[in-house]
Amino acid sequence: MESRVDRAEANFREGYNCAQSVFLAYADIAGIDRATALKLTSALGAGFGKLREVCGAVSGMTLMAGLLEGYTDSEDRENKIKVYHKTQEMAAEFKKRQGSIICREILNLKEGEDQAEPSVRTKEYYEDRPCLSAIRNAAQIIEEMLLTNQSPVL
């Protein structure tokens, strides 16, 4: 399977949030169309609606884990444990690479320090923010931990 890490980065450079950028790069593998992928993840950017909580890249990454390895039977304890374990493994790997899974910590912000309006995307914005690194790390983790030997779910 081709790497989609560059595609995730390109999505962010087009103006999509971190969750959208990561999830959209892989959505078709799980049979999710572009519009649905973008709407589904639109509120998860900037740490969950710009609350600066869990990084949007992590949210997009874990949504993909649910689609590819999640469960549908509420009584399926074994697969609940499996998907939670996978999510925890992926989050731990992201934290190892990025330093945190919390948006404000990655951005070195204090709680409540940021405004609700999205930042204007400029050349300086992309150079100054660690978001591209977070997106690339999340995408790489999807490839390493979910897509190795994975066939499309269509």
Side-chain angles (χ1 to χ4, degrees):
M1 170 170 284
E2 71 173 287
S3 172
R4 297 177 184 222
V5 175
D6 291 338
R7 186 180 303 177
E9 179 179 331
N11 292 337
F12 187 73
R13 289 184 181 277
E14 288 176 25
Y16 293 107
N17 72 42
C18 296
Q20 289 174 312
S21 298
V22 171
F23 189 80
L24 181 61
Y26 300 95
D28 64 303
I29 293 170
I32 305 294
D33 66 89
R34 180 180 178 84
T36 301
L38 291 171
K39 286 181 179 182
L40 179 67
T41 52
S42 63
L44 300 176
F48 196 77
K50 208 161 183 202
L51 292 171
R52 301 300 187 194
E53 296 296 336
V54 174
C55 170
V58 173
S59 295
M61 176 181 77
T62 57
L63 280 172
M64 190 54 58
L67 277 172
L68 297 179
E69 298 196 4
Y71 60 91
T72 58
D73 180 353
S74 64
E75 301 297 320
D76 188 351
R77 182 169 168 71
E78 181 180 328
N79 280 320
K80 281 184 184 183
I81 292 168
K82 179 183 169 190
V83 75
Y84 290 162
H85 180 72
K86 177 64 76 172
T87 300
Q88 291 169 4
E89 280 184 321
M90 293 172 75
E93 182 61 28
F94 183 90
K95 185 174 182 177
K96 184 173 120 184
R97 295 179 190 194
Q98 199 69 39
S100 179
I101 66 166
I102 305 300
C103 178
R104 81 173 147 274
E105 292 174 4
I106 294 168
L107 294 174
N108 293 314
L109 297 171
K110 293 183 176 120
E111 191 167 354
E113 185 176 344
D114 208 3
Q115 73 280 358
E117 297 82 28
S119 301
V120 176
R121 303 279 182 100
T122 63
K123 183 180 180 229
E124 294 77 21
Y125 171 93
Y126 290 111
E127 290 173 358
D128 187 48
R129 312 269 292 199
C131 301
L132 287 173
S133 164
I135 288 163
R136 293 186 71 81
N137 280 325
Q140 289 166 347
I141 292 166
I142 287 171
E143 294 187 6
E144 294 164 10
M145 298 182 85
L146 291 176
L147 299 183
T148 305
N149 300 320
Q150 179 82 27
S151 58
V153 182
L154 300 174

